[in-house]
Amino acid sequence: MNNNDKKKKFDLKCKKENVINSLFEVEHFLCNLKKVCNTVCLYKILK
């Protein structure tokens, strides 16, 4: 029964913060990707 006591408890607050941070990073990545695509398209037009 000591093994059950040693198991880590599910920490919802920590998981929630990790998910929020991950989504924030994904959002920034997609925003930067969109800017790069727009820049490439503009470069092709002006070329």
Side-chain angles (χ1 to χ4, degrees):
M1 289 195 171
N2 286 341
N3 287 339
N4 290 337
D5 294 337
K6 291 183 180 180
K7 284 185 179 180
K8 291 184 178 180
K9 292 184 179 180
F10 184 76
D11 187 8
L12 183 61
K13 184 178 180 181
C14 181
K15 298 289 184 185
K16 180 182 173 185
E17 288 176 8
N18 288 340
V19 168
I20 289 172
N21 289 336
S22 296
L23 289 174
F24 189 69
E25 289 179 12
V26 169
E27 180 183 8
H28 280 279
F29 172 77
L30 291 175
C31 184
N32 289 336
L33 185 64
K34 184 176 178 181
K35 287 179 182 179
V36 168
C37 289
N38 287 340
T39 304
V40 169
C41 289
L42 182 62
Y43 176 75
K44 285 181 179 180
I45 291 171
L46 295 176
K47 187 176 178 184

